[in-house]
Amino acid sequence: MNVVVLVSGGGTNLQAIIDQVNEGVMPHVNLVKVISSASEAYACRRAENNHIPFCVISRKTFANMQAYDEAMLTALTDSSADLVVLAGFLSLLGPKVVSAFSNRIINIHPSLIPSFCGKGMYGIRPHEAALARGVKVSGATVHFVNEYYDEGPILLQKSIEIDENDTPQSLQKRIMLTCEQEILPRAIQLIADNKVTIENNRAFITK
C-alpha cells in the first residue's frame, strides 16, 4: 500500500511510522512521499535522511484554495497514493482532495474526539482546553477525514490519565509519545491489511 504522509512541523509522528516500516513491522506499507506545508519543517529532513521523496506545498503560495487544492491533488495522484496520512498537518485540505480520496485520508488528533476538537483545535490548544476543563483523562484519536473538521469516522483511540501537575506542554508530550505514536502506525497497518470497513460514518475493525 502506497502511503503519503502530510506534515507541518518536527515530524515525530512521521518518524514513528518510518521506524516501524524500517523495522519490518508494516511489511505492506510503502512510504512513497512526504508533503510538508512548510519548507523549514524538520520533517523534511527526516524524509531526506530516510531516502523518502518529499516536497513542499504551502497554502500561502497559492492565489486561492482552488489552486492549492489542484496542486495537492496532482501531487497525491502522481505519487500513486493509496492512503494519505495527516501527521501533524496544520493546513486544511481542499474539497477535490477530500472527494478524490474519500475514506482514504486519516488524521491523528490530540484529544479524545468529540472532546476538544473542531476548527482551531490543533497543536497545544486541545491540551490547554482539557486542563482548563479539568477532565481526568485525555488522549489521541485516529479518524478518517471528511469535509468537516474532526467529524470523520473514528478508527482508533487511546487514553491516558491526566496528572494534577500536568502542564499543556507535558500533557502534549505524553500524549504524543504514548498515544499518537502508537495508534497512528497501528491504524495504517490495519488499513494496509484490509481490516477496516466504513459504514454510516463509523469505522469497523475486523479480526
Side-chain angles (χ1 to χ4, degrees):
M1 182 179 73
N2 291 337
V3 174
V4 176
V5 182
L6 275 56
V7 295
S8 291
T12 53
N13 285 331
L14 168 64
Q15 189 65 56
I17 299 167
I18 291 172
D19 289 345
Q20 293 213 17
V21 170
N22 289 344
E23 291 165 8
V25 178
M26 297 194 287
H28 302 130
V29 173
N30 182 27
L31 295 177
V32 294
K33 181 172 280 190
V34 170
I35 299 176
S36 175
S37 64
S39 58
E40 67 275 12
Y42 186 70
C44 294
R45 304 287 76 77
R46 295 183 190 273
E48 185 176 37
N49 292 340
N50 288 273
H51 311 292
I52 302 170
F54 70 92
C55 67
V56 176
I57 301 179
S58 175
R59 168 67 181 88
K60 62 185 178 183
T61 64
F62 294 89
N64 51 52
M65 172 58 85
Q66 182 178 359
Y68 166 71
D69 196 14
E70 291 279 4
M72 183 65 76
L73 180 58
T74 297
L76 294 173
T77 302
D78 288 349
S79 300
S80 300
D82 298 309
L83 179 70
V84 180
V85 177
L86 310 187
F89 186 69
L90 302 183
S91 296
L92 181 67
L93 291 176
K96 286 188 177 180
V97 170
V98 172
S99 176
F101 287 87
S102 177
N103 294 334
R104 292 194 291 149
I105 307 173
I106 59 172
N107 178 54
I108 183 77
H109 182 76
S111 77
L112 298 174
I113 293 175
S115 296
F116 314 118
C117 63
K119 187 175 182 179
M121 277 292 179
Y122 60 87
I124 199 72
R125 294 178 183 177
H127 308 295
E128 292 174 337
L131 292 179
R133 184 62 182 86
V135 297
K136 307 307 179 187
V137 296
S138 190
T141 303
V142 176
H143 67 94
F144 286 90
V145 173
N146 61 17
E147 62 271 32
Y148 305 108
Y149 284 105
D150 302 326
E151 291 190 18
I154 291 171
L155 179 53
L156 292 174
Q157 292 183 302
K158 184 179 179 184
S159 65
I160 60 170
E161 293 187 2
I162 292 179
D163 188 274
E164 62 181 11
N165 296 316
D166 265 324
T167 64
Q169 290 75 21
S170 68
L171 183 59
Q172 180 183 46
K173 184 176 181 179
R174 287 200 298 121
I175 287 176
M176 183 181 297
L177 292 175
T178 64
C179 299
E180 296 178 31
Q181 293 180 12
E182 177 181 324
I183 64 175
L184 184 56
R186 183 182 167 212
I188 296 169
Q189 185 59 53
L190 287 169
I191 296 169
D193 290 342
N194 294 315
K195 291 186 175 181
V196 179
T197 57
I198 297 174
E199 188 176 324
N200 297 324
N201 205 45
R202 294 181 63 189
F204 298 89
I205 301 171
T206 57
K207 301 299 183 181

